[in-house]
Amino acid sequence: MKPFRNILAVACVLFAMSNAQSVRSLVSSGNELYGKKQYSDAEAEYKKSLEKDKDLMEGSYNLGNAVYKQQRYDEAIQNYHQALTKAADPSVKSKLYYNMGNSYFDGKQYQESINAYKNSLKLNPSDEDAKYNLAYARRMMQQQQQQQQKQNKDKKQDDKKDQQQKQKDQQQQQQQQKKQDQQQQQQMANQQKKMSQEEAKRILEALKNDEKKTQKKVRQKAPVRMNVEKDW
């Protein structure tokens, strides 16, 4: 497919409709700067013309072109909308819709660009550029939808993998915690068993010591004198 026809319809010759000499001069100056690709300077001149005459269609039209060239597509669309409200000539409206279509297209808003090109062709069915760009925008929208579907599918798969990994990690953590708990319980049981054995040993030693002391006391005690009955 051939490249998108990124051509702006220009309203440079329409400024003559204005009655004020200063406004015409500003638009003319803006057009001259635009032709030299000094788009920010042209923008300033067009804005000055609109300050003097806010209803000047040519000012809004060409201001839209100037900001479009600076890749500020949303602002371009706003200015084209403003120019549409002031335009009466169907051919001018057709060009405005065409430029809006270009702005939407470059902003990757393909459905909106399709609608704009359709409106342009309603007013000028013989515009080959509009026909070409309409077909191109439809193709790009189809590709965008396919890409979006693929991204959604990939995201679902990634989410599923993440969930599975999360469950696996949780199971491993639970198993590890269970093992740690078992080890702690075993350690406590061993400690208790060791303490019981040591305590029993201490008790036995204490009993032996007591028994030795008792026996020693018995040996040290004086023998009991027995009374023997006298013979008659």
Side-chain angles (χ1 to χ4, degrees):
M1 180 176 285
K2 295 181 180 180
F4 170 72
R5 294 180 182 176
N6 193 356
I7 303 169
L8 289 179
V10 183
C12 297
V13 299
L14 299 178
F15 70 86
M17 296 171 60
S18 174
N19 293 323
Q21 182 64 38
S22 60
V23 174
R24 290 201 303 271
S25 298
L26 288 169
V27 174
S28 179
S29 174
N31 293 346
E32 184 177 352
L33 291 166
Y34 184 95
K36 294 178 180 179
K37 298 184 179 181
Q38 299 177 21
Y39 301 122
S40 60
D41 293 333
E43 174 189 353
E45 294 298 286
Y46 295 138
K47 284 182 176 179
K48 289 177 184 177
S49 71
L50 288 169
E51 289 174 359
K52 292 182 175 295
D53 185 358
K54 64 180 181 179
D55 295 325
L56 182 66
M57 187 275 295
E58 295 83 353
S60 297
Y61 190 131
N62 290 352
L63 176 58
N65 288 350
V67 295
Y68 173 90
K69 289 294 187 178
Q70 298 174 72
Q71 299 182 355
R72 287 151 51 195
Y73 304 123
D74 288 341
E75 290 183 50
I77 291 167
Q78 291 176 1
N79 282 286
Y80 294 142
H81 272 297
Q82 287 293 324
L84 273 172
T85 63
K86 306 167 187 174
D89 189 338
S91 65
V92 174
K93 289 185 176 181
S94 175
K95 292 175 182 178
L96 281 166
Y97 277 120
Y98 177 85
N99 288 1
M100 288 171 60
N102 288 359
S103 300
Y104 280 124
F105 184 94
D106 287 337
K108 300 187 185 305
Q109 300 181 56
Y110 299 123
Q111 184 58 63
E112 289 79 0
S113 71
I114 288 170
N115 295 338
Y117 292 135
K118 284 181 177 180
N119 287 331
S120 177
L121 287 167
K122 287 178 182 177
L123 294 165
N124 183 12
S126 63
D127 189 335
E128 294 299 324
D129 287 335
K131 290 179 182 179
Y132 182 91
N133 284 0
L134 174 59
Y136 200 102
R138 283 172 171 165
R139 175 60 179 167
M140 292 300 296
M141 186 176 72
Q142 183 181 10
Q143 291 181 2
Q144 186 184 59
Q145 291 173 343
Q146 291 173 347
Q147 184 178 7
Q148 185 63 46
Q149 289 173 355
K150 184 178 182 300
Q151 289 176 348
N152 292 338
K153 184 178 179 180
D154 292 343
K155 186 177 183 301
K156 287 181 180 179
Q157 291 178 346
D158 291 341
D159 290 344
K160 185 177 180 180
K161 289 180 180 179
D162 290 343
Q163 184 64 26
Q164 290 175 343
Q165 185 62 43
K166 185 178 180 181
Q167 291 175 351
K168 184 177 179 180
D169 292 342
Q170 288 177 345
Q171 289 176 352
Q172 290 178 345
Q173 289 176 356
Q174 290 173 354
Q175 291 174 354
Q176 186 176 3
Q177 185 63 43
K178 184 178 179 181
K179 185 177 180 180
Q180 290 176 352
D181 292 343
Q182 290 175 344
Q183 289 175 346
Q184 289 178 354
Q185 290 175 359
Q186 186 62 41
Q187 289 175 355
M188 291 178 63
N190 292 338
Q191 289 175 355
Q192 290 176 353
K193 183 178 179 181
K194 184 178 180 181
M195 289 175 63
S196 298
Q197 291 175 346
E198 290 177 351
E199 183 66 23
K201 185 176 179 181
R202 284 196 298 270
I203 292 172
L204 287 173
E205 289 178 352
L207 290 172
K208 287 180 181 178
N209 291 334
D210 289 344
E211 184 178 355
K212 288 179 181 179
K213 290 179 182 179
T214 301
Q215 290 177 355
K216 186 176 180 182
K217 287 180 180 179
V218 170
R219 286 196 300 268
Q220 290 176 352
K221 190 175 181 181
V224 178
R225 298 178 67 86
M226 299 293 293
N227 290 330
V228 181
E229 292 182 353
K230 295 181 179 181
D231 294 335
W232 292 97

